[in-house]
């Protein structure tokens, strides 16, 4: 049913490793997103494509106890991304969304690191979703 | 450019110095445009005698309609008869006579002002302000009404000898904002009347007196200032009420962000509240742990630097601030770079952390698992490296590893007093084999099995685990060398992370993403609690799905369940958005876990919905239901009216939670906003006149 | 600052005054009594001057007095203060009516009026421009006054 290994010779993503330069981040979320994208796609070497992104995140309180203590937060996040080729024309893009969660019970230090780890994991999930979409559409532009 | 242009179908020169233009006459002068049926230009008097229908449009988006007029040749001043002035395509002022004076003032005598749509079959607007005269000052963008009378549906409801209202194009001006009625069980019925004071172009102050029947006296304050390199905002309130008789209560919150040289950034967030219940009694915020935070940071492509100090104060019932870390200092320097001769991608992170508890009791009297008075400082250095290879058959292989060294200095803790040095590391091999369907158009599919073998030492120096006590297991750390959030704990032993990802991606149609994963360990390191999903030799199954349908449905779901399908943790967020209605919902289920200070299971459903009853009326409802306690935590109803000239917001909410410091409370709010006077509220759809 | 406020006198002249015509060349057709002046034709009547590339003159039945002037090839009608240009013009002496057609431009001090057809009554000094007329004029500047 038309499946081929993406990175195999002749496969759509054969030349994808190291081909994409990700735009510089301006905050911790951006830093984590770029780190994961470079882990999956390799550091840019003579990159033929530029990946630009805008990140939005929002914590929402859930699991509120009868004494009105917020035990847990969902950190929702979305990345609008566009991939442009050397000539600057858009070859792929879209919006990826997801959420991670962190508890706020226990000590303040535990809550603080849990909150920051939730942000770190959310950026890695969104980066992995972008890589999945790059693989899915690579046949159309990564040739 | 002081030439005026006149265009017409016919221009005749009559007598010595009058010029008569007829037929679709237009006069253009310095951005002003006049359209009329007939204009006589009297040259010596430099006047234009104009016969309608007349339209006079000036550059600022407002225009005048009239049947007859006598204006100066530069259209700056003169008299218009039975005229109508429309400001910002919104506010209409009809008047028997409009006099334009000195290119700045427009005086309208016995006028009617309204921004409501008026139809032939029903000429009475929803609201109107009748006035003996209205003067519009174009420079100061103000409207001055003399003996103004507010009528609703034609019925006079309010009279003011003098009234000043902002012109719709005015962005900032000192004056009253929309008042709001509010009734709560704790404060009784009351009214909020905000007054905005513009202090120059970059500063403003809003004072909001809030008086209620149950002797509630509150003065709210908001001060904002913008600087060349940043801005600050201070909000606060001072209150006296019956809930805390003869006690002055209140809060203050200051936030700010500044750009520093060499593109560093400064952010601060400082807050203080007089008593724990204040935030909830006055619906300021539902934060139950106040943090005062000052941070300087810089982020670049390969570098992240952050230095911060945080002071925590819990206002949560039953928490003692003395035994919680209340002062925290962190510094992080993280640099990423090319692998050089090794290739791939490397990283180096230097980090210090220290926290301080006011208590100095080295024992754990409050049985929270940590010495009551423990103060801790940590210095850490971590190096990591990773490299990808494309192996035959399209397998993407990766080798990765990290080495870390930590020095802990712990005081006032009977168990861990003193200095401890810990060295740790992890190495892993990862194999990914993504298959892609090569359909060039329509939906594209990706299947990606992933296998990761990780090994790290089985024994480490004993340390108290405080910053890694809360463990989460999701697709973000399924393939991670260390799933603990902080540095106190590190995953031990040899484990195999298995997973398979499946994606259907169709930008035009529906998208589905799914991940299934599990962690298999050689031996059980007994590091994880029951609710983490990572306990035992083999972890729970992780199943995450994400669905988005073209018809506005979005669902993200994550499940942790064991081999017998007993669910450890489940979380769902689902949103349905259609133009006439929308539903948002979230559900969380978690097993109890003493290690995470949660002694009972958690099961909570949240629902909110909106429904457009008519083009103008929208109904809203929301509730949060605790399935374990089998009762609602809070519920709210809302009714919103929006048309082109009126905005009404009606809200009723009930919070059922109660504790030693907080009573259940009902909150009812009503605000009415006349649109068209430069208010921030966006206008709704205009009424359509039936032909 | 904008110069004298010139009275808009209109192109006014007594159409019964004698008319002189000069030109480089004159052809007369005895049969029809029509004379055609060509080459820098200049027609004078009182203070009024009409210049054109060619002017065809029609005489009245007795063949003595001029009844109509047909000017074409770019016509300029001017007196001491105003000027009107167009591609053609017809001057009916008896009625004192001048009809100018084709990209008519009437200038007068700083004001200018353009249109497709200009009908002038030289005796009354009135004129009517038609056909998407466009005129430019200078409104006098006045200091802003309080209401």
């Amino acid at each position: 049913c038309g499946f081929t290994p993406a990175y195999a010779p002749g496969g759509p993503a054969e030349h994808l490793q190291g081909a994409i330069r990700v735009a510089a981040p301006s905050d911790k979320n951006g830093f984590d997103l770029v780190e994961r994208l470079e882990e999956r796609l390799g550091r840019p070497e003579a990159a033929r494509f530029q990946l630009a992104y805008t990140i939005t995140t929002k914590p929402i309180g859930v699991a509120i106890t009868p004494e009105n203590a917020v035990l847990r937060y969902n950190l929702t996040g979305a990345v609008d991304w566009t991939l442009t080729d050397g000539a600057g024309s858009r070859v792929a893009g879209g919006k990826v969304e997801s959420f991670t969660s962190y508890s706020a019970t226990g000590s303040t230090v535990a809550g603080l690191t849990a909150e920051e780890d939730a942000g770190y994991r959310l950026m890695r999930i969104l980066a992995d979703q972008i890589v999945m979409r790059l693989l899915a559409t690579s046949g159309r532009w990564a040739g | 450019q002081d030439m005026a242009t006149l265009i017409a179908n016919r221009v005749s020169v009559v007598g010595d110095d009058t010029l008569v233009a007829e037929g679709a006459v237009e006069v253009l002068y310095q951005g002003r445009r006049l359209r009329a049926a007939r204009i006589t230009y009297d040259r010596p008097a430099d006047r234009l005698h104009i016969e309608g229908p007349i339209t006079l449009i000036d550059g600022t988006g407002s225009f005048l309609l009239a049947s007859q007029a006598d204006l100066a040749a530069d259209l700056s001043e003169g008299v218009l008869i039975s005229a109508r002035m429309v400001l910002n395509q919104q506010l209409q002022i009809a008047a028997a006579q409009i006099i334009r004076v000195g290119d700045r003032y427009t005086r309208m005598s016995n006028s009617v002002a309204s921004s409501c749509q008026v139809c032939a079959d029903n000429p009475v607007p929803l609201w109107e302000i009748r006035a003996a005269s209205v003067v519009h000052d174009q420079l100061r963008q103000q409207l001055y009404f003399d003996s103004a009378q507010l009528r609703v549906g034609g019925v006079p409801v309010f009279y003011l000898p003098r009234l000043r209202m902002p012109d719709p194009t005015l962005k900032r001006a000192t004056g009253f904002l929309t008042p709001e009625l509010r009734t709560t069980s704790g404060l009784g019925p009351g009214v909020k009347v905000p007054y905005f004071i513009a202090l120059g172009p970059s500063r403003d102050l809003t004072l909001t007196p809030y008086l209620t029947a149950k002797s509630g006296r509150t003065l709210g304050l908001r001060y904002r200032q913008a600087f060349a390199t940043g801005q600050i905002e201070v909000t606060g309130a001072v209150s006296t009420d019956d809930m805390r008789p003869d006690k002055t209560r209140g809060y203050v919150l200051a936030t700010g962000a500044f750009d520093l040289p060499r593109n560093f950034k400064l952010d601060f967030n400082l807050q203080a509240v007089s008593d724990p219940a204040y935030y909830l009694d006055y619906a300021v915020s539902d934060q139950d742990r106040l943090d005062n935070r000052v941070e300087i940071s810089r982020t670049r492509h390969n570098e992240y630097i952050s230095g911060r100090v945080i002071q925590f104060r819990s206002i949560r019932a039953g928490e003692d601030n003395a035994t919680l870390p209340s002062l925290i200092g962190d510094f992080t320097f993280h640099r990423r770079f090319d692998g050089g001769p090794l290739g791939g991608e490397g990283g180096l992170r230097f980090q210090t952390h220290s926290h301080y508890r006011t208590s100095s009791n080295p024992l754990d009297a409050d049985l929270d698992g940590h010495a009551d008075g423990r103060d801790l400082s940590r210095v850490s250095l971590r190096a990591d490296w990773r490299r990808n290879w494309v192996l035959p058959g399209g397998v993407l292989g990766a080798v990765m590893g990290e080495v870390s060294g930590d020095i802990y200095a712990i005081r006032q803790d009977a168990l861990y007093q003193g200095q401890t040095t810990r060295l740790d590391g992890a190495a892993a091999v990862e194999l990914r084999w993504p298959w892609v369907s090569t359909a060039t158009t329509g939906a594209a599919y990706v299947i990606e099995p992933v296998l990761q073998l990780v090994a790290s030492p089985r024994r480490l120096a004993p340390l108290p685990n405080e910053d890694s006590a809360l463990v989460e297991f999701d697709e973000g750390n399924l393939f991670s060398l260390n799933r603990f959030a902080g540095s106190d704990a590190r995953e031990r032993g040899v484990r195999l992370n298995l997973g398979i990802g499946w994606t259907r991606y169709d930008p035009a149609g529906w998208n589905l993403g799914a991940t299934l994963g599990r962690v298999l360990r050689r031996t059980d390191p007994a590091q994880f609690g029951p609710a983490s999903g990572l306990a035992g030799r083999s972890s729970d199954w992780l199943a995450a799905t994400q669905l988005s349908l073209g018809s506005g449905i979005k669902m993200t779901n994550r499940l942790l369940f064991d081999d017998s399908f007993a669910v450890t943790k489940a979380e769902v967020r689902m949103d349905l958005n259609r133009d006439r209605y929308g539903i948002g919902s979230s559900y969380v289920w978690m097993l109890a876990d003493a290690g995470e200070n949660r002694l009972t299971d958690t099961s909570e459903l949240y629902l909110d919905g909106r429904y457009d009853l008519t083009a103008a009326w929208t109904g809203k409802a929301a509730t949060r239901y605790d399935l374990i306690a089998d009762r609602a935590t809070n519920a709210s109803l809302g009714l919103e009216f929006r048309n082109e000239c009126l905005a009404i917001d009606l809200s009723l909410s009930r919070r059922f939670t109660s504790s030693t410091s907080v009573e259940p409370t009902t909150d009812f709010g009503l605000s009415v906003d006349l649109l068209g006077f430069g208010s921030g509220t966006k206008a709704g759809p205009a009424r359509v006149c039936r032909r | 600052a904008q110069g004298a406020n010139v009275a808009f006198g209109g192109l006014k002249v007594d159409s019964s005054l004698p008319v002189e015509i000069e030109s480089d060349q004159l052809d007369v057709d005895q049969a029809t009594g029509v004379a055609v002046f060509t080459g820098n034709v200049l027609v004078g009547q009182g203070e009024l001057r009409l210049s054109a590339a060619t002017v065809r003159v029609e005489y009245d039945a007795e063949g003595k007095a001029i009844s109509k002037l047909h000017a074409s090839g770019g016509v300029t009608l001017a007196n001491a203060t105003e000027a009107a240009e167009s591609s053609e013009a017809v001057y009916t002496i008896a009625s004192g009516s001048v009809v100018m057609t084709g990209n008519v431009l009437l200038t007068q001090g700083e004001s200018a009026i353009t249109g497709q057809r200009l009908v002038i009554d030289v005796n009354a000094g009135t004129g009517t421009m038609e056909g998407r007329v466009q005129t430019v004029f200078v409104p006098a500047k006045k200091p802003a006054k309080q209401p």
Side-chain angles (χ1 to χ4, degrees), chain A residues 2-79:
Chain A
F3 277 92
T4 63
Y7 290 110
E14 185 183 0
H15 310 295
L16 194 56
Q17 285 291 311
I20 295 178
R21 169 177 299 284
V22 186
S26 60
D27 58 11
K28 180 68 163 63
N29 280 343
F31 186 80
D32 296 337
L33 186 81
V34 172
E35 178 178 35
R36 181 58 178 170
L37 285 170
E38 288 190 349
E39 278 176 20
R40 293 291 307 275
L41 300 168
R43 297 270 291 181
E45 294 142 10
R48 293 178 285 127
F49 300 96
Q50 273 72 36
L51 178 66
Y53 52 85
T54 10
I55 303 171
T56 50
T57 60
K58 183 176 164 222
I60 300 170
V62 291
I64 296 175
T65 68
E67 295 78 31
N68 212 67
V70 183
L71 297 189
R72 193 170 176 77
Y73 289 88
N74 285 353
L75 181 64
T76 64
V79 178

Side-chain angles (χ1 to χ4, degrees), chain B residues 4 6 8-9 11-13 16 46, chain C residues 8 127 129 131-133 135 137 140:
Chain B
L6 180 143
N9 287 345
V11 172
S12 46
V13 177
D16 276 355
D46 202 37
Chain C
F8 187 87
M129 181 87 80
R132 228 36 213 154
V133 180
T135 172
F137 60 92

Side-chain angles (χ1 to χ4, degrees), chain B residues 19-55:
Chain B
L19 189 132
V20 176
E22 286 159 321
V25 185
E26 274 195 47
V27 176
L28 299 151
Y29 180 65
Q30 284 182 343
R32 282 194 212 96
R33 172 195 295 272
L34 174 81
R35 278 201 208 94
R38 191 169 185 280
I39 293 184
T40 308
Y41 172 46
D42 177 347
R43 169 175 296 286
D46 202 37
R47 305 291 300 183
L48 299 173
H49 306 294
I50 309 165
E51 275 132 56
I54 301 171
T55 314

Side-chain angles (χ1 to χ4, degrees), chain B residues 242-274:
Chain B
D242 287 350
M243 288 186 271
R244 292 279 185 289
D246 55 61
K247 185 168 182 298
T248 311
R249 311 171 64 193
Y251 81 99
V252 67
L253 167 65
T255 57
F258 286 87
D259 294 335
L260 300 177
R262 296 161 53 89
N263 56 56
F264 277 91
K265 280 193 306 180
L266 166 71
D267 292 278
F268 64 85
N269 169 58
L270 308 171
Q271 59 187 309
V273 69
S274 60

Side-chain angles (χ1 to χ4, degrees), chain B residues 2-13 15-17 19 23-24 29 41 43 46 72-74 77 101-102 105, chain C residues 5-6 8-9 108 110-111 113 126-142 144-147:
Chain B
D2 53 10
M3 304 291 282
T5 309
L6 180 143
I7 305 169
N9 287 345
R10 205 167 42 271
V11 172
S12 46
V13 177
D16 276 355
D17 35 37
L19 189 132
Y29 180 65
Y41 172 46
R43 169 175 296 286
D46 202 37
D74 65 2
E77 48 86 16
V101 175
Y105 298 100
Chain C
N5 209 337
V6 174
F8 187 87
Q108 178 269 346
E110 268 97 25
S111 302
I113 307 179
T126 61
T128 304
M129 181 87 80
E130 284 158 2
R132 228 36 213 154
V133 180
Q134 180 153 351
T135 172
V136 175
F137 60 92
V138 181
K141 261 283 166 242
K142 276 186 286 310
K145 287 202 291 295
Q146 291 298 337

Side-chain angles (χ1 to χ4, degrees), chain B residues 240-302:
Chain B
T240 57
D241 54 44
D242 287 350
M243 288 186 271
R244 292 279 185 289
D246 55 61
K247 185 168 182 298
T248 311
R249 311 171 64 193
Y251 81 99
V252 67
L253 167 65
T255 57
F258 286 87
D259 294 335
L260 300 177
R262 296 161 53 89
N263 56 56
F264 277 91
K265 280 193 306 180
L266 166 71
D267 292 278
F268 64 85
N269 169 58
L270 308 171
Q271 59 187 309
V273 69
S274 60
D275 56 280
Y278 189 84
Y279 269 179
L280 288 176
D281 287 345
Y282 287 82
V284 174
S285 103
D286 52 16
Q287 223 182 358
D288 57 7
R289 279 182 166 171
L290 312 184
D291 66 329
N292 290 328
R293 189 182 294 232
V294 181
E295 178 167 15
I296 294 181
S297 65
R298 174 167 79 181
T299 311
R300 297 205 284 207
H301 196 106
N302 295 318

